[in-house]
Amino acid sequence: MSTTKKINLILGWSLFILSTVLYWSTMAPTVSLWDCGEFIACMAKMEVGHPPGAPFYLLLGRLFNLFAFSPEQIAYTANLVSVFASAATIMLLYFSAEHMLRRIFSQYTQTVGKYVLLAASCAIGAMAFAVSDTFWFSAVEAEVYALSIFFTALCFWLFLKWEEAHEQNHLSNRWLLLITFLMGLSVGVHLLNLLIIPVLVLLILLRQKPFSWVLLVKALLIGGGILALLLFGLIQNGLWLAQKIEILMVNSWGMPINSGLLLFVTLLFGGLFFVVFKTRHLNNWQHLLAAGVLVFMIGYSSYAMIIIRADANTPINLNNPSTVFSLDSFLNREQYAQNPLLYGHYYNTPTGELLTTDTYRKNGKNYELYEKTNKYAYDDKGCGVFPRMHSNNATHKYGYQQWAGADPNSTKKPSFITNLRFFFNYQINHMYIRYFMWNFSGRQNDEQSYGEIHKGNWITGIPFIDKNIEGSHQHSLSLSNPARNVYFMLPLLIGLIGIIFLINAGKNSKKYLAVTGLLLLMTGPVIVLYLNQTPFEPRERDYAFVGSFYAFAIFIAFGAFALTHLIYKNTQSYLTAAMGLVLLTVGAPILMLSQNYADHDRSNRTFALEQARSYLNSCEPNAILFTYGDNDTYPLWYVQEVEGYRTDIRVINYGLMGADWCIQQLAQAVNLTDPIPLSISQQRYKTGELDYALLLEQSKEYAPLQSVVQFIGSNKETSKLPMQNGEKIDFSPVNRFLLPYDQNDTLKWHCPKRVLYKNDIAFFDILASNNWQRPIYFTIGANPDIFNGLEDHLRYDGLVYKLVPQRKAPNAPIFYNREHLLDTYLNKIKLGDGNTAYYDHYCRRTFDVIKYRQIGNLLAADLLEQQRPEEAKAVVLKSLKELPIGVAPDASGNLPLLHLLHECGLQSEAIEYTDLLLQRHLNNLLWYAALPRQKQRFAQSAFQQEMEKGQVLKMVLNTIKDPALDEQLKNVYNTLGIEL
């Protein structure tokens, strides 16, 4: 082995080791928010998560789980999958950049000194990506994106190895087969890896021809065609023939369920093996194609895990894809809204009839035919090419107005110019370029941005540039946020230098510029086109574009080499070139590391785990707990399925209960919980049978809930409401219900809804059938829409509401039992020490969602009224420990807490935190005043909120009576001309 190869291997593996140490040391020790809890639970017990599934990721995670010594360590080992995958990605980035530079500048391999300059430049690009914002975020938690980008990096590197092997011998096709197999595997992680196909096609076309735009277009057409064939042919419609065979064998021939699918798989793989062996002596393109399809399908076969485990009725079994028909729905992600791509409707296009398709579902030992509603038909006059503004959701309409100036109330189709304005302003600029600049220029803070001036923008650290983005005066959300990271555009500039350098750098430079540039294009802007995102996404989506950032990091390696090459060319000195490399480029990854470390270190963050335990601990034994979103569901799934914690409680996601498969699963026992009692038959709950019911008010009398549920669930003609078009639909003649509790109490309430959907009907069925046998709870962060008018009967019991027959007092702001809430708050809610870990925006927002501060304030104020200051002090101190004001200085309820600190005798703490919040308030007023008049218009809402905080702050100052603080407030208000 030559010296240069040894240096290459040593440097590449050194980067792997260093990256592993970095990610392992900053890795989350347990479950994190969002999908992590679901993924860890599913890999621990081989369960079925949300569509379209990630079976290979779960299988690999299960392998890592084998090294856990206890159930509590399973999340730790699951997170290690991302650690090692991410570290390997950094190594592959280095090897890929080194390969391309070595082939462009072969003269740099002639001496060790020259080669070290080349290799060090590649290492700089790899290190810059290693410590970049988005990639580091995914590297320390159990999510699919770290493994997905690893597959992209691996396939890209193998492309380059194939190119080299193709020039040397005729055995290069083995590299293509390996790449094809890995692509099949990667589908079992995430579909993003398939976007690299046009890059492979371009590299193949560039074997013998120089780069040209015609060749690039040809690669896009061929690669796009292959990609479309895989996505829309194989993955979304590949089970069409299997479904036909299944119906024939099961319904006509009386064979067991899935016999047709097994026959289809046997014929498919048997046919592929036959073709491969039949053409093996020819060794031509037919043989290569057959072998490629075979190995891709072998990799893709990880999806067998989905149907096998769904058939086992695992506790988490989303969509129940246990037959070929439900698996097809699972792969097509039919439970999610499908956004139009090239042609479709706009937000105000009139809807026509509801379109249905015929499909089958299991009914005993056979299949039954039923009509499945997919989507609405739209008036062609309201449709158009490339529709970006397509959602009729009221919130999204407001977003279209905000980003494109569209009229949310207009019935006229928006102009194509307006459509493009939204595309460029929101989808391209806000949802891609902003994320790109986060990684290579700087980030204002980690607050989620919906377009506000003071939240989540990209910055540079260069004042004269940043003042046009966020103003000349920093908002307090940036001043106190560890996620305010500035790189002075250094990584961006080095990458741009690399792009310019490759235009005319040598024989292969344009080829590698085109290949890397196409990788950036396919994993960035093309994803923007495909996702067609709506405004007000529930979280930032930068993780979807990490492949694009990977490609730009390769350009950073090229840029570092360009500067080194220029210095060496003019000085002919290794030492001078090395010093130039260090001075001009090494600072980029070092700066990024120093800026990003604080907000990417999750080594002490256990918030999601503690929150899940606190949810469950707030409930009585054998309870039913309704959740609503990801962050109040997935951590609960994890803590029950993996750690076996409080498995006596049945957790039900209210949104998922709108699907018949979820209601069917309610009738099954799970862990230590009994089946959920239901009075309406499962046949009636099937899709198409009882999808909704009208709620009328034919009487103001209260009707027994059991009778109403039986009426709605009945299939008799007398329980149907005839419509003018002759159709008969399910309904309830009353919207006031009663549910007796005992001789003294009866639950009576009015449901304000006009239409009950399947999950609402199932909820009322559970309520009536349970008949107070098991306590019923809702997570506090749940959407009030799922309470169905029961708000006045929901008692605060910690982090949950408990349904009780008693009604909240008419003038009471909140319904609670003082002694019960005190015991729960002090002894059952344990969210850790907020001073020992960095809480990002989503953690801080979750504290607000669960009303943590408000509950503590309410309880402390009540205890003070009851002359129980020591207990009130304990509540306040616990609130400050678990959610320190310094950690979340903008949290709701902070200002009333200052008053409570004073009342509890904690004067020094009251003054300290009052000073902190006062400085924030005054700073934010100065920030607003320093904005140009045009930007003040966009920040008007933030200013109004600040003025409201000022009113509360003045009341706190009147209580604390600190002359120095009063004087500060007075001086700033007078300066700004604001009346006290």
Side-chain angles (χ1 to χ4, degrees):
M1 182 183 295
S2 66
T3 304
T4 56
K5 285 188 176 180
K6 289 180 181 178
I7 294 173
N8 184 39
L9 289 174
I10 291 172
L11 195 49
W13 283 100
S14 297
L15 287 169
F16 172 80
I17 294 171
L18 289 173
S19 300
T20 300
V21 171
L22 175 65
Y23 300 142
W24 203 332
S25 64
T26 57
M27 183 188 77
T30 183
V31 66
S32 297
L33 294 176
W34 299 107
D35 295 348
C36 299
E38 179 201 17
F39 280 127
I40 299 171
C42 288
M43 68 174 60
K45 291 187 176 180
M46 288 288 95
E47 303 183 67
V48 181
H50 66 271
F56 182 72
Y57 173 67
L58 299 183
L59 289 166
L60 185 61
R62 182 68 188 122
L63 176 63
F64 274 68
N65 290 164
L66 297 178
F67 295 93
F69 296 106
S70 67
E72 290 76 14
Q73 289 185 330
I74 287 178
Y76 188 90
T77 58
N79 293 338
L80 284 176
V81 176
S82 295
V83 167
F84 288 114
S86 299
T89 300
I90 300 306
M91 179 176 65
L92 291 168
L93 191 156
Y94 163 77
F95 283 142
S96 299
E98 186 273 342
H99 174 97
M100 288 185 279
L101 279 178
R102 173 167 44 83
R103 290 177 62 82
I104 299 173
F105 295 94
S106 57
Q107 67 270 27
Y108 272 78
T109 62
Q110 295 171 0
T111 65
V112 173
K114 284 185 177 181
Y115 182 75
V116 168
L117 295 177
L118 182 146
S121 300
C122 299
I124 287 169
M127 289 188 295
F129 186 64
V131 293
S132 60
D133 180 61
T134 300
F135 183 72
W136 195 346
F137 185 92
S138 297
V140 293
E141 66 177 15
E143 252 281 19
V144 296
Y145 298 103
L147 189 59
S148 175
I149 188 59
F150 163 75
F151 271 107
T152 299
L154 181 58
C155 288
F156 186 75
W157 177 66
L158 290 174
F159 291 165
L160 301 174
K161 297 296 290 183
W162 164 82
E163 174 202 31
E164 191 172 41
H166 180 77
E167 295 175 356
Q168 296 174 358
N169 57 64
H170 65 284
L171 298 177
S172 60
N173 288 343
R174 64 182 64 184
W175 293 99
L176 293 180
L177 293 179
L178 176 58
I179 292 167
T180 307
F181 171 69
L182 292 171
M183 283 188 174
L185 277 182
S186 73
V187 175
V189 179
H190 201 280
L191 295 177
L192 286 176
N193 188 59
L194 295 179
L195 293 170
I196 203 172
I197 289 175
V199 181
L200 171 60
V201 173
L202 178 61
L203 197 59
I204 293 174
L205 294 177
L206 288 171
R207 286 177 303 172
Q208 298 174 344
K209 295 181 180 180
F211 170 78
S212 68
W213 291 106
V214 174
L215 214 60
L216 177 61
V217 172
K218 188 175 181 180
L220 285 172
L221 291 175
I222 297 174
I226 298 173
L227 186 59
L229 182 65
L230 290 175
L231 284 176
F232 305 113
L234 173 63
I235 296 173
Q236 293 190 11
N237 297 291
L239 295 176
W240 176 83
L241 181 58
Q243 294 173 358
K244 301 296 182 184
I245 299 174
E246 178 79 1
I247 287 297
L248 175 66
M249 295 187 66
V250 175
N251 281 16
S252 300
W253 297 353
M255 299 291 286
I257 296 291
N258 286 328
S259 297
L261 178 60
L262 288 174
L263 178 60
F264 171 77
V265 171
T266 302
L267 292 175
L268 174 64
F269 280 95
L272 288 173
F273 273 109
F274 174 78
V275 175
V276 169
F277 280 97
K278 191 72 174 177
T279 59
R280 69 186 186 280
H281 297 300
L282 301 178
N283 197 26
N284 55 11
W285 69 268
Q286 293 100 326
H287 178 68
L288 179 62
L289 178 62
V293 173
L294 174 61
V295 296
F296 180 89
M297 293 304 299
I298 291 174
Y300 185 56
S301 65
S302 66
Y303 267 94
M305 171 261 180
I306 296 293
I307 195 168
I308 291 170
R309 295 303 295 161
D311 193 55
N313 290 319
T314 56
I316 300 175
N317 186 13
L318 301 187
N319 290 59
N320 187 24
S322 57
T323 70
V324 65
F325 300 100
S326 55
L327 179 62
D328 183 68
S329 173
F330 184 84
L331 293 174
N332 280 283
R333 297 164 50 92
E334 289 182 0
Q335 77 175 60
Y336 303 116
Q338 301 298 312
N339 299 337
L341 297 179
L342 301 179
Y343 182 84
H345 61 278
Y346 286 93
Y347 64 89
N348 54 4
T349 303
T351 56
E353 62 179 343
L354 190 61
L355 301 178
T356 61
T357 56
D358 290 339
T359 188
Y360 291 87
R361 62 189 172 204
K362 187 163 61 174
N363 184 21
K365 296 182 178 180
N366 295 314
Y367 290 102
E368 64 178 0
L369 183 69
Y370 78 103
E371 288 187 342
K372 177 173 59 178
T373 57
N374 283 341
K375 54 187 178 181
Y376 285 98
Y378 290 93
D379 187 349
D380 281 340
K381 295 180 180 179
C383 296
V385 177
F386 197 63
R388 301 291 97 183
M389 301 186 295
H390 53 82
S391 172
N392 60 9
N393 180 283
T395 303
H396 296 161
K397 288 182 180 180
Y398 171 75
Y400 298 144
Q401 180 185 35
Q402 173 187 346
W403 291 101
D407 184 353
N409 301 314
S410 174
T411 58
K412 184 179 179 181
K413 183 173 76 173
S415 69
F416 192 65
I417 296 298
T418 304
N419 181 60
L420 289 181
R421 190 182 300 123
F422 174 76
F423 171 63
F424 286 109
N425 287 346
Y426 178 73
Q427 294 183 337
I428 292 292
N429 183 44
H430 189 72
M431 296 301 287
Y432 175 68
I433 293 177
R434 180 170 62 98
Y435 297 147
F436 181 89
M437 298 297 282
W438 277 4
N439 286 273
F440 303 113
S441 176
R443 185 173 181 177
Q444 184 183 31
N445 50 49
D446 66 354
E447 295 287 327
Q448 184 167 354
S449 173
Y450 298 122
E452 301 95 333
I453 297 173
H454 59 300
K455 293 183 179 181
N457 292 299
W458 66 269
I459 55 174
T460 65
I462 305 172
F464 79 89
I465 296 178
D466 292 345
K467 73 176 183 180
N468 295 315
I469 300 172
E470 61 176 352
S472 57
H473 193 92
Q474 286 183 28
H475 192 275
S476 293
L477 288 177
S478 297
L479 284 173
S480 60
N481 196 310
R484 182 179 177 86
N485 303 319
V486 296
Y487 321 132
F488 305 104
M489 303 183 78
L490 185 58
L492 177 67
L493 293 174
I494 297 173
L496 293 176
I497 290 171
I499 294 174
I500 297 170
F501 174 68
L502 283 195
I503 294 176
N504 287 301
K507 177 183 176 183
N508 294 313
S509 61
K510 287 185 178 179
K511 175 172 73 172
Y512 291 127
L513 173 62
V515 168
T516 310
L518 185 58
L519 176 63
L520 187 149
L521 177 71
M522 293 301 301
T523 54
V526 170
I527 294 178
V528 174
L529 298 177
Y530 179 76
L531 293 178
N532 197 3
Q533 292 168 320
T534 54
F536 304 107
E537 289 284 324
R539 64 179 294 193
E540 299 285 13
R541 302 296 189 184
D542 54 308
Y543 54 81
F545 308 109
V546 68
S548 180
F549 310 150
Y550 174 90
F552 191 79
I554 295 177
F555 286 131
I556 292 178
F558 295 159
F561 177 77
L563 295 170
T564 306
H565 173 70
L566 181 64
I567 296 172
Y568 178 76
K569 185 177 179 181
N570 287 279
T571 64
Q572 294 298 308
S573 169
Y574 294 138
L575 180 59
T576 304
M579 291 178 62
L581 178 67
V582 171
L583 293 174
L584 295 177
T585 60
V586 171
I590 293 177
L591 176 64
M592 294 169 72
L593 173 64
S594 64
Q595 289 286 301
N596 291 341
Y597 189 88
D599 53 297
H600 288 82
D601 180 12
R602 297 197 219 173
S603 57
N604 292 317
R605 188 190 300 175
T606 59
F607 173 72
L609 172 66
E610 301 296 346
Q611 173 199 275
R613 289 176 175 172
S614 297
Y615 272 135
L616 297 175
N617 288 337
S618 298
C619 301
E620 296 173 6
N622 199 35
I624 297 173
L625 174 60
F626 287 100
T627 64
Y628 184 76
D630 294 355
N631 287 335
D632 66 350
T633 302
Y634 294 155
L636 291 175
W637 286 358
Y638 161 76
V639 80
Q640 286 190 319
E641 292 298 302
V642 179
E643 298 192 1
Y645 192 84
R646 292 300 307 271
T647 54
D648 60 302
I649 297 174
R650 187 64 173 262
V651 175
I652 304 174
N653 184 288
Y654 197 96
L656 295 178
M657 201 166 56
D660 55 1
W661 54 264
C662 181
I663 298 175
Q664 291 169 11
Q665 292 169 9
L666 294 180
Q668 303 170 4
V670 174
N671 297 319
L672 298 181
T673 65
D674 294 328
I676 300 296
L678 295 168
S679 62
I680 300 176
S681 69
Q682 289 290 343
Q683 182 65 33
R684 283 287 282 149
Y685 275 123
K686 288 184 176 180
T687 299
E689 288 290 323
L690 189 59
D691 292 333
Y692 64 93
L694 294 183
L695 205 56
L696 306 181
E697 191 177 16
Q698 296 180 351
S699 170
K700 292 189 179 294
E701 296 294 322
Y702 287 89
L705 182 62
Q706 291 92 338
S707 300
V708 175
V709 169
Q710 290 175 7
F711 183 86
I712 294 175
S714 172
N715 215 6
K716 298 178 180 179
E717 290 296 315
T718 54
S719 67
K720 307 288 184 180
L721 181 68
M723 307 297 288
Q724 292 182 350
N725 60 2
E727 183 182 355
K728 294 183 178 181
I729 61 175
D730 297 295
F731 81 108
S732 167
V734 296
N735 60 2
R736 287 176 167 81
F737 314 115
L738 62 87
L739 185 65
Y741 180 73
D742 55 24
Q743 294 181 348
N744 300 318
D745 290 312
T746 296
L747 174 64
K748 293 183 178 181
W749 83 101
H750 164 246
C751 180
K753 292 183 177 178
R754 297 293 302 276
V755 178
L756 297 179
Y757 291 100
K758 192 183 296 289
N759 49 3
D760 302 318
I761 297 170
F763 168 71
F764 283 134
D765 193 355
I766 293 171
L767 203 60
S769 302
N770 179 66
N771 197 27
W772 305 105
Q773 295 300 306
R774 298 166 71 173
I776 291 178
Y777 295 88
F778 298 87
T779 55
I780 281 186
N783 188 329
D785 187 59
I786 75 173
F787 300 152
N788 293 292
L790 288 163
E791 288 86 345
D792 288 345
H793 296 274
L794 297 180
R795 189 181 74 193
Y796 269 82
D797 273 17
L799 298 189
V800 296
Y801 295 117
K802 182 182 181 182
L803 180 65
V804 295
Q806 297 82 19
R807 180 183 291 272
K808 182 185 72 172
N811 298 324
I814 198 171
F815 184 17
Y816 66 101
N817 178 288
R818 182 189 307 114
E819 302 306 322
H820 182 84
L821 184 58
L822 176 62
D823 176 61
T824 301
Y825 192 83
L826 290 180
N827 302 315
K828 297 180 180 179
I829 297 176
K830 298 178 180 179
L831 298 178
D833 189 343
N835 291 299
T836 62
Y838 171 65
Y839 285 162
D840 65 6
H841 165 76
Y842 300 114
C843 293
R844 300 193 301 270
R845 186 174 71 182
T846 302
F847 271 106
D848 270 356
V849 168
I850 63 179
K851 298 179 173 62
Y852 176 80
R853 187 73 89 208
Q854 294 92 318
I855 296 172
N857 289 352
L858 170 78
L859 188 56
D862 190 4
L863 291 169
L864 286 171
E865 280 189 22
Q866 299 298 316
Q867 304 299 315
R868 299 162 67 176
E870 290 303 315
E871 290 170 304
K873 184 177 180 180
V875 170
V876 168
L877 289 176
K878 175 183 171 67
S879 178
L880 277 176
K881 177 184 177 183
E882 296 185 337
L883 182 61
I885 288 180
V887 169
D890 205 45
S892 299
N894 273 344
L895 290 171
L897 180 62
L898 302 178
H899 172 78
L900 294 170
L901 284 169
H902 177 78
E903 294 297 313
C904 290
L906 300 169
Q907 277 83 5
S908 61
E909 289 87 349
I911 293 174
E912 175 188 350
Y913 291 125
T914 301
D915 184 32
L916 188 153
L917 294 182
L918 174 63
Q919 301 311 317
R920 286 178 56 83
H921 171 63
L922 299 179
N923 178 80
N924 293 344
L925 293 178
L926 294 171
W927 163 79
Y928 178 81
L931 289 174
R933 187 171 300 276
Q934 184 179 8
K935 286 187 178 290
Q936 284 184 349
R937 183 165 56 90
F938 293 107
Q940 189 65 34
S941 175
F943 176 71
Q944 292 297 333
Q945 293 174 10
E946 205 60 50
M947 291 304 299
E948 292 170 5
K949 292 178 184 177
Q951 295 301 316
V952 180
L953 191 56
K954 282 187 283 186
M955 290 188 288
V956 172
L957 290 173
N958 289 336
T959 300
I960 294 178
K961 301 185 185 304
D962 185 285
L965 298 181
D966 289 336
E967 189 65 23
Q968 289 184 52
L969 179 69
K970 179 180 179 181
N971 289 340
V972 173
Y973 271 47
N974 288 339
T975 301
L976 298 178
I978 301 174
E979 293 185 9
L980 279 170

